């Protein structure tokens, strides 16, 4: 399913080049799943920047990514309690995106359970 936005077509192409990832897009937004579990999707919350991708990743990896490359990776209060990071698609290269999606697949292993951070 093609999206209205070519940036997400690039994400789809990179994601579908990896094993066990399927397109799960809907008319509302872009999404891909790994082994039936959400891997990444268009960040659709109104606070997110346009052309942002939400990728599921553990909290420690998220902090590392944001601290090393804040122009590419970011976080908003709406997403803070979830194990994910937001990605500015205009700023990330294909290889970095591919490596991020591979890390996300490792995080989503079937036995992984999602734990939310407790509110401070």
């Amino acid at each position: 399913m093609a999206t209205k936005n070519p940036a997400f077509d690039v994400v789809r192409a990179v994601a579908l080049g990896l094993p066990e990832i399927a397109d799960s897009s809907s008319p509302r937004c872009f999404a891909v799943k790994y082994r039936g579990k959400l891997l990444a999707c268009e960040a659709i919350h109104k606070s997110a920047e346009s052309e942002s991708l939400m990728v599921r990743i553990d909290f420690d990896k998220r902090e590392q990514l944001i601290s090393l490359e804040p122009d590419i990776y970011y976080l908003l209060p709406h997403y803070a309690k979830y194990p994910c990071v937001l990605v500015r698609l205009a700023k990330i290269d294909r290889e970095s995106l591919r490596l991020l999606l591979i890390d996300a697949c490792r995080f989503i292993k079937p036995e992984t359970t999602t734990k939310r951070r407790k509110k401070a």
Side-chain angles (χ1 to χ4, degrees), residues 86-113:
L86 299 175
V87 182
R88 292 178 179 99
L89 292 177
K91 303 277 186 171
I92 193 167
D93 62 74
R94 288 178 81 104
E95 181 61 12
S96 296
L97 177 61
R98 188 181 77 77
L99 294 172
L100 176 65
L101 294 174
I102 290 169
D103 282 345
C105 290
R106 289 182 186 127
F107 171 69
I108 298 177
K109 291 183 274 187
E111 62 275 6
T112 300
T113 57

PDB file of all heavy atoms in Angstrom, residues 86-113:
ATOM      1  N   LEU A  86      11.250   8.671  18.423  1.00  0.00           N
ATOM      2  CA  LEU A  86      10.757   9.327  17.218  1.00  0.00           C
ATOM      3  C   LEU A  86      11.943   9.668  16.328  1.00  0.00           C
ATOM      4  O   LEU A  86      13.009  10.059  16.821  1.00  0.00           O
ATOM      5  CB  LEU A  86       9.979  10.585  17.581  1.00  0.00           C
ATOM      6  CG  LEU A  86       8.745  10.340  18.449  1.00  0.00           C
ATOM      7  CD1 LEU A  86       8.114  11.655  18.860  1.00  0.00           C
ATOM      8  CD2 LEU A  86       7.735   9.455  17.747  1.00  0.00           C
ATOM      9  N   VAL A  87      11.745   9.510  15.028  1.00  0.00           N
ATOM     10  CA  VAL A  87      12.819   9.689  14.056  1.00  0.00           C
ATOM     11  C   VAL A  87      12.390  10.718  13.014  1.00  0.00           C
ATOM     12  O   VAL A  87      11.318  10.580  12.413  1.00  0.00           O
ATOM     13  CB  VAL A  87      13.144   8.356  13.346  1.00  0.00           C
ATOM     14  CG1 VAL A  87      14.288   8.521  12.360  1.00  0.00           C
ATOM     15  CG2 VAL A  87      13.431   7.254  14.356  1.00  0.00           C
ATOM     16  N   ARG A  88      13.222  11.706  12.805  1.00  0.00           N
ATOM     17  CA  ARG A  88      12.988  12.688  11.739  1.00  0.00           C
ATOM     18  C   ARG A  88      13.489  12.063  10.436  1.00  0.00           C
ATOM     19  O   ARG A  88      14.693  11.951  10.196  1.00  0.00           O
ATOM     20  CB  ARG A  88      13.742  13.979  12.034  1.00  0.00           C
ATOM     21  CG  ARG A  88      13.199  14.719  13.230  1.00  0.00           C
ATOM     22  CD  ARG A  88      14.030  15.982  13.517  1.00  0.00           C
ATOM     23  NE  ARG A  88      13.497  16.693  14.657  1.00  0.00           N
ATOM     24  CZ  ARG A  88      13.988  16.604  15.910  1.00  0.00           C
ATOM     25  NH1 ARG A  88      15.048  15.847  16.154  1.00  0.00           N
ATOM     26  NH2 ARG A  88      13.426  17.280  16.886  1.00  0.00           N
ATOM     27  N   LEU A  89      12.553  11.652   9.587  1.00  0.00           N
ATOM     28  CA  LEU A  89      12.922  10.915   8.378  1.00  0.00           C
ATOM     29  C   LEU A  89      13.773  11.733   7.409  1.00  0.00           C
ATOM     30  O   LEU A  89      14.596  11.165   6.690  1.00  0.00           O
ATOM     31  CB  LEU A  89      11.675  10.384   7.680  1.00  0.00           C
ATOM     32  CG  LEU A  89      10.949   9.288   8.457  1.00  0.00           C
ATOM     33  CD1 LEU A  89       9.681   8.870   7.722  1.00  0.00           C
ATOM     34  CD2 LEU A  89      11.849   8.095   8.711  1.00  0.00           C
ATOM     35  N   ALA A  90      13.613  13.020   7.411  1.00  0.00           N
ATOM     36  CA  ALA A  90      14.423  13.861   6.519  1.00  0.00           C
ATOM     37  C   ALA A  90      15.887  13.900   6.928  1.00  0.00           C
ATOM     38  O   ALA A  90      16.748  14.267   6.131  1.00  0.00           O
ATOM     39  CB  ALA A  90      13.850  15.278   6.494  1.00  0.00           C
ATOM     40  N   LYS A  91      16.186  13.465   8.151  1.00  0.00           N
ATOM     41  CA  LYS A  91      17.549  13.573   8.677  1.00  0.00           C
ATOM     42  C   LYS A  91      18.304  12.242   8.741  1.00  0.00           C
ATOM     43  O   LYS A  91      19.508  12.221   8.941  1.00  0.00           O
ATOM     44  CB  LYS A  91      17.512  14.149  10.099  1.00  0.00           C
ATOM     45  CG  LYS A  91      16.829  15.489  10.218  1.00  0.00           C
ATOM     46  CD  LYS A  91      17.780  16.582   9.873  1.00  0.00           C
ATOM     47  CE  LYS A  91      17.126  17.933  10.131  1.00  0.00           C
ATOM     48  NZ  LYS A  91      18.061  19.004  10.015  1.00  0.00           N
ATOM     49  N   ILE A  92      17.609  11.125   8.577  1.00  0.00           N
ATOM     50  CA  ILE A  92      18.264   9.821   8.754  1.00  0.00           C
ATOM     51  C   ILE A  92      18.591   9.206   7.391  1.00  0.00           C
ATOM     52  O   ILE A  92      17.809   9.305   6.449  1.00  0.00           O
ATOM     53  CB  ILE A  92      17.387   8.871   9.604  1.00  0.00           C
ATOM     54  CG1 ILE A  92      18.184   7.643  10.055  1.00  0.00           C
ATOM     55  CG2 ILE A  92      16.096   8.492   8.883  1.00  0.00           C
ATOM     56  CD1 ILE A  92      17.504   6.818  11.133  1.00  0.00           C
ATOM     57  N   ASP A  93      19.762   8.587   7.301  1.00  0.00           N
ATOM     58  CA  ASP A  93      20.131   7.914   6.048  1.00  0.00           C
ATOM     59  C   ASP A  93      19.602   6.478   6.069  1.00  0.00           C
ATOM     60  O   ASP A  93      19.233   5.953   7.113  1.00  0.00           O
ATOM     61  CB  ASP A  93      21.649   7.953   5.829  1.00  0.00           C
ATOM     62  CG  ASP A  93      22.420   7.228   6.912  1.00  0.00           C
ATOM     63  OD1 ASP A  93      22.402   5.982   6.925  1.00  0.00           O
ATOM     64  OD2 ASP A  93      23.044   7.911   7.752  1.00  0.00           O
ATOM     65  N   ARG A  94      19.555   5.874   4.902  1.00  0.00           N
ATOM     66  CA  ARG A  94      18.967   4.527   4.766  1.00  0.00           C
ATOM     67  C   ARG A  94      19.664   3.492   5.645  1.00  0.00           C
ATOM     68  O   ARG A  94      19.013   2.647   6.239  1.00  0.00           O
ATOM     69  CB  ARG A  94      19.001   4.079   3.314  1.00  0.00           C
ATOM     70  CG  ARG A  94      18.006   4.802   2.441  1.00  0.00           C
ATOM     71  CD  ARG A  94      18.127   4.347   0.994  1.00  0.00           C
ATOM     72  NE  ARG A  94      17.434   3.110   0.759  1.00  0.00           N
ATOM     73  CZ  ARG A  94      16.263   3.011   0.132  1.00  0.00           C
ATOM     74  NH1 ARG A  94      15.672   4.086  -0.324  1.00  0.00           N
ATOM     75  NH2 ARG A  94      15.703   1.840  -0.047  1.00  0.00           N
ATOM     76  N   GLU A  95      20.984   3.529   5.704  1.00  0.00           N
ATOM     77  CA  GLU A  95      21.712   2.521   6.486  1.00  0.00           C
ATOM     78  C   GLU A  95      21.430   2.683   7.977  1.00  0.00           C
ATOM     79  O   GLU A  95      21.236   1.688   8.684  1.00  0.00           O
ATOM     80  CB  GLU A  95      23.210   2.582   6.197  1.00  0.00           C
ATOM     81  CG  GLU A  95      24.026   1.548   6.953  1.00  0.00           C
ATOM     82  CD  GLU A  95      23.662   0.090   6.642  1.00  0.00           C
ATOM     83  OE1 GLU A  95      22.925  -0.200   5.680  1.00  0.00           O
ATOM     84  OE2 GLU A  95      24.123  -0.786   7.395  1.00  0.00           O
ATOM     85  N   SER A  96      21.394   3.907   8.477  1.00  0.00           N
ATOM     86  CA  SER A  96      21.069   4.129   9.892  1.00  0.00           C
ATOM     87  C   SER A  96      19.647   3.680  10.190  1.00  0.00           C
ATOM     88  O   SER A  96      19.384   3.101  11.247  1.00  0.00           O
ATOM     89  CB  SER A  96      21.247   5.605  10.259  1.00  0.00           C
ATOM     90  OG  SER A  96      22.596   5.981  10.127  1.00  0.00           O
ATOM     91  N   LEU A  97      18.736   3.926   9.256  1.00  0.00           N
ATOM     92  CA  LEU A  97      17.354   3.471   9.421  1.00  0.00           C
ATOM     93  C   LEU A  97      17.299   1.949   9.467  1.00  0.00           C
ATOM     94  O   LEU A  97      16.629   1.366  10.315  1.00  0.00           O
ATOM     95  CB  LEU A  97      16.490   4.016   8.283  1.00  0.00           C
ATOM     96  CG  LEU A  97      15.039   3.570   8.276  1.00  0.00           C
ATOM     97  CD1 LEU A  97      14.306   4.019   9.538  1.00  0.00           C
ATOM     98  CD2 LEU A  97      14.338   4.107   7.031  1.00  0.00           C
ATOM     99  N   ARG A  98      18.021   1.312   8.576  1.00  0.00           N
ATOM    100  CA  ARG A  98      18.045  -0.161   8.547  1.00  0.00           C
ATOM    101  C   ARG A  98      18.577  -0.717   9.865  1.00  0.00           C
ATOM    102  O   ARG A  98      17.993  -1.630  10.446  1.00  0.00           O
ATOM    103  CB  ARG A  98      18.915  -0.649   7.374  1.00  0.00           C
ATOM    104  CG  ARG A  98      18.863  -2.142   7.138  1.00  0.00           C
ATOM    105  CD  ARG A  98      19.759  -2.541   5.971  1.00  0.00           C
ATOM    106  NE  ARG A  98      21.152  -2.556   6.342  1.00  0.00           N
ATOM    107  CZ  ARG A  98      21.746  -3.532   7.047  1.00  0.00           C
ATOM    108  NH1 ARG A  98      21.065  -4.573   7.445  1.00  0.00           N
ATOM    109  NH2 ARG A  98      23.023  -3.456   7.338  1.00  0.00           N
ATOM    110  N   LEU A  99      19.654  -0.147  10.373  1.00  0.00           N
ATOM    111  CA  LEU A  99      20.229  -0.618  11.636  1.00  0.00           C
ATOM    112  C   LEU A  99      19.281  -0.373  12.808  1.00  0.00           C
ATOM    113  O   LEU A  99      19.170  -1.205  13.717  1.00  0.00           O
ATOM    114  CB  LEU A  99      21.585   0.047  11.879  1.00  0.00           C
ATOM    115  CG  LEU A  99      22.680  -0.345  10.889  1.00  0.00           C
ATOM    116  CD1 LEU A  99      23.926   0.506  11.102  1.00  0.00           C
ATOM    117  CD2 LEU A  99      23.002  -1.826  10.971  1.00  0.00           C
ATOM    118  N   LEU A 100      18.584   0.754  12.788  1.00  0.00           N
ATOM    119  CA  LEU A 100      17.601   1.037  13.834  1.00  0.00           C
ATOM    120  C   LEU A 100      16.471   0.005  13.808  1.00  0.00           C
ATOM    121  O   LEU A 100      16.062  -0.500  14.856  1.00  0.00           O
ATOM    122  CB  LEU A 100      17.036   2.449  13.667  1.00  0.00           C
ATOM    123  CG  LEU A 100      15.934   2.847  14.646  1.00  0.00           C
ATOM    124  CD1 LEU A 100      16.465   2.898  16.080  1.00  0.00           C
ATOM    125  CD2 LEU A 100      15.334   4.186  14.242  1.00  0.00           C
ATOM    126  N   LEU A 101      15.996  -0.329  12.624  1.00  0.00           N
ATOM    127  CA  LEU A 101      14.921  -1.319  12.516  1.00  0.00           C
ATOM    128  C   LEU A 101      15.388  -2.705  12.952  1.00  0.00           C
ATOM    129  O   LEU A 101      14.632  -3.461  13.563  1.00  0.00           O
ATOM    130  CB  LEU A 101      14.360  -1.343  11.096  1.00  0.00           C
ATOM    131  CG  LEU A 101      13.627  -0.064  10.666  1.00  0.00           C
ATOM    132  CD1 LEU A 101      13.232  -0.141   9.193  1.00  0.00           C
ATOM    133  CD2 LEU A 101      12.418   0.211  11.545  1.00  0.00           C
ATOM    134  N   ILE A 102      16.636  -3.036  12.678  1.00  0.00           N
ATOM    135  CA  ILE A 102      17.188  -4.312  13.152  1.00  0.00           C
ATOM    136  C   ILE A 102      17.222  -4.323  14.682  1.00  0.00           C
ATOM    137  O   ILE A 102      16.833  -5.311  15.315  1.00  0.00           O
ATOM    138  CB  ILE A 102      18.586  -4.567  12.554  1.00  0.00           C
ATOM    139  CG1 ILE A 102      18.467  -4.872  11.051  1.00  0.00           C
ATOM    140  CG2 ILE A 102      19.301  -5.697  13.282  1.00  0.00           C
ATOM    141  CD1 ILE A 102      19.789  -4.891  10.307  1.00  0.00           C
ATOM    142  N   ASP A 103      17.666  -3.225  15.298  1.00  0.00           N
ATOM    143  CA  ASP A 103      17.654  -3.126  16.766  1.00  0.00           C
ATOM    144  C   ASP A 103      16.234  -3.254  17.299  1.00  0.00           C
ATOM    145  O   ASP A 103      15.997  -3.902  18.320  1.00  0.00           O
ATOM    146  CB  ASP A 103      18.252  -1.794  17.236  1.00  0.00           C
ATOM    147  CG  ASP A 103      19.766  -1.772  17.187  1.00  0.00           C
ATOM    148  OD1 ASP A 103      20.383  -2.854  17.056  1.00  0.00           O
ATOM    149  OD2 ASP A 103      20.341  -0.672  17.292  1.00  0.00           O
ATOM    150  N   ALA A 104      15.293  -2.644  16.610  1.00  0.00           N
ATOM    151  CA  ALA A 104      13.895  -2.719  17.041  1.00  0.00           C
ATOM    152  C   ALA A 104      13.384  -4.154  16.958  1.00  0.00           C
ATOM    153  O   ALA A 104      12.648  -4.606  17.850  1.00  0.00           O
ATOM    154  CB  ALA A 104      13.035  -1.788  16.196  1.00  0.00           C
ATOM    155  N   CYS A 105      13.774  -4.889  15.927  1.00  0.00           N
ATOM    156  CA  CYS A 105      13.372  -6.306  15.830  1.00  0.00           C
ATOM    157  C   CYS A 105      13.911  -7.110  17.000  1.00  0.00           C
ATOM    158  O   CYS A 105      13.204  -7.949  17.564  1.00  0.00           O
ATOM    159  CB  CYS A 105      13.866  -6.910  14.509  1.00  0.00           C
ATOM    160  SG  CYS A 105      13.025  -6.309  13.041  1.00  0.00           S
ATOM    161  N   ARG A 106      15.137  -6.855  17.378  1.00  0.00           N
ATOM    162  CA  ARG A 106      15.731  -7.558  18.529  1.00  0.00           C
ATOM    163  C   ARG A 106      14.952  -7.243  19.798  1.00  0.00           C
ATOM    164  O   ARG A 106      14.765  -8.096  20.650  1.00  0.00           O
ATOM    165  CB  ARG A 106      17.187  -7.161  18.698  1.00  0.00           C
ATOM    166  CG  ARG A 106      18.087  -7.704  17.627  1.00  0.00           C
ATOM    167  CD  ARG A 106      19.540  -7.315  17.857  1.00  0.00           C
ATOM    168  NE  ARG A 106      20.346  -7.727  16.737  1.00  0.00           N
ATOM    169  CZ  ARG A 106      21.163  -6.920  16.058  1.00  0.00           C
ATOM    170  NH1 ARG A 106      21.292  -5.662  16.406  1.00  0.00           N
ATOM    171  NH2 ARG A 106      21.847  -7.380  15.038  1.00  0.00           N
ATOM    172  N   PHE A 107      14.506  -6.012  19.928  1.00  0.00           N
ATOM    173  CA  PHE A 107      13.729  -5.600  21.101  1.00  0.00           C
ATOM    174  C   PHE A 107      12.360  -6.286  21.139  1.00  0.00           C
ATOM    175  O   PHE A 107      11.861  -6.627  22.205  1.00  0.00           O
ATOM    176  CB  PHE A 107      13.542  -4.078  21.100  1.00  0.00           C
ATOM    177  CG  PHE A 107      12.590  -3.594  22.132  1.00  0.00           C
ATOM    178  CD1 PHE A 107      12.904  -3.662  23.482  1.00  0.00           C
ATOM    179  CD2 PHE A 107      11.357  -3.069  21.767  1.00  0.00           C
ATOM    180  CE1 PHE A 107      12.016  -3.219  24.454  1.00  0.00           C
ATOM    181  CE2 PHE A 107      10.468  -2.616  22.721  1.00  0.00           C
ATOM    182  CZ  PHE A 107      10.792  -2.691  24.066  1.00  0.00           C
ATOM    183  N   ILE A 108      11.778  -6.519  19.988  1.00  0.00           N
ATOM    184  CA  ILE A 108      10.412  -7.044  19.920  1.00  0.00           C
ATOM    185  C   ILE A 108      10.361  -8.567  19.887  1.00  0.00           C
ATOM    186  O   ILE A 108       9.324  -9.112  19.598  1.00  0.00           O
ATOM    187  CB  ILE A 108       9.694  -6.451  18.692  1.00  0.00           C
ATOM    188  CG1 ILE A 108       9.596  -4.958  18.845  1.00  0.00           C
ATOM    189  CG2 ILE A 108       8.304  -6.998  18.513  1.00  0.00           C
ATOM    190  CD1 ILE A 108       8.980  -4.274  17.681  1.00  0.00           C
ATOM    191  N   LYS A 109      11.394  -9.228  20.202  1.00  0.00           N
ATOM    192  CA  LYS A 109      11.359 -10.689  20.190  1.00  0.00           C
ATOM    193  C   LYS A 109      10.021 -11.169  20.756  1.00  0.00           C
ATOM    194  O   LYS A 109       9.472 -10.549  21.653  1.00  0.00           O
ATOM    195  CB  LYS A 109      12.496 -11.269  21.022  1.00  0.00           C
ATOM    196  CG  LYS A 109      13.848 -11.051  20.397  1.00  0.00           C
ATOM    197  CD  LYS A 109      14.905 -11.702  21.220  1.00  0.00           C
ATOM    198  CE  LYS A 109      15.325 -10.727  22.295  1.00  0.00           C
ATOM    199  NZ  LYS A 109      16.451 -11.147  23.088  1.00  0.00           N
ATOM    200  N   PRO A 110       9.476 -12.282  20.256  1.00  0.00           N
ATOM    201  CA  PRO A 110       8.154 -12.735  20.696  1.00  0.00           C
ATOM    202  C   PRO A 110       7.986 -12.859  22.207  1.00  0.00           C
ATOM    203  O   PRO A 110       6.918 -12.631  22.733  1.00  0.00           O
ATOM    204  CB  PRO A 110       8.003 -14.099  20.023  1.00  0.00           C
ATOM    205  CG  PRO A 110       8.897 -14.038  18.851  1.00  0.00           C
ATOM    206  CD  PRO A 110      10.044 -13.128  19.238  1.00  0.00           C
ATOM    207  N   GLU A 111       9.054 -13.166  22.903  1.00  0.00           N
ATOM    208  CA  GLU A 111       8.935 -13.323  24.352  1.00  0.00           C
ATOM    209  C   GLU A 111       9.003 -11.992  25.098  1.00  0.00           C
ATOM    210  O   GLU A 111       8.795 -11.940  26.299  1.00  0.00           O
ATOM    211  CB  GLU A 111       9.988 -14.279  24.909  1.00  0.00           C
ATOM    212  CG  GLU A 111      11.429 -13.833  24.720  1.00  0.00           C
ATOM    213  CD  GLU A 111      12.037 -14.202  23.377  1.00  0.00           C
ATOM    214  OE1 GLU A 111      11.339 -14.713  22.487  1.00  0.00           O
ATOM    215  OE2 GLU A 111      13.236 -13.971  23.215  1.00  0.00           O
ATOM    216  N   THR A 112       9.285 -10.906  24.374  1.00  0.00           N
ATOM    217  CA  THR A 112       9.386  -9.589  25.003  1.00  0.00           C
ATOM    218  C   THR A 112       8.006  -9.121  25.440  1.00  0.00           C
ATOM    219  O   THR A 112       7.056  -9.218  24.697  1.00  0.00           O
ATOM    220  CB  THR A 112       9.981  -8.554  24.028  1.00  0.00           C
ATOM    221  OG1 THR A 112      11.268  -8.995  23.653  1.00  0.00           O
ATOM    222  CG2 THR A 112      10.066  -7.182  24.658  1.00  0.00           C
ATOM    223  N   THR A 113       7.940  -8.622  26.633  1.00  0.00           N
ATOM    224  CA  THR A 113       6.715  -7.982  27.084  1.00  0.00           C
ATOM    225  C   THR A 113       7.006  -6.507  27.239  1.00  0.00           C
ATOM    226  O   THR A 113       8.080  -6.116  27.664  1.00  0.00           O
ATOM    227  CB  THR A 113       6.232  -8.551  28.433  1.00  0.00           C
ATOM    228  OG1 THR A 113       7.278  -8.403  29.390  1.00  0.00           O
ATOM    229  CG2 THR A 113       5.850  -9.996  28.319  1.00  0.00           C
TER     230      THR A 113
END
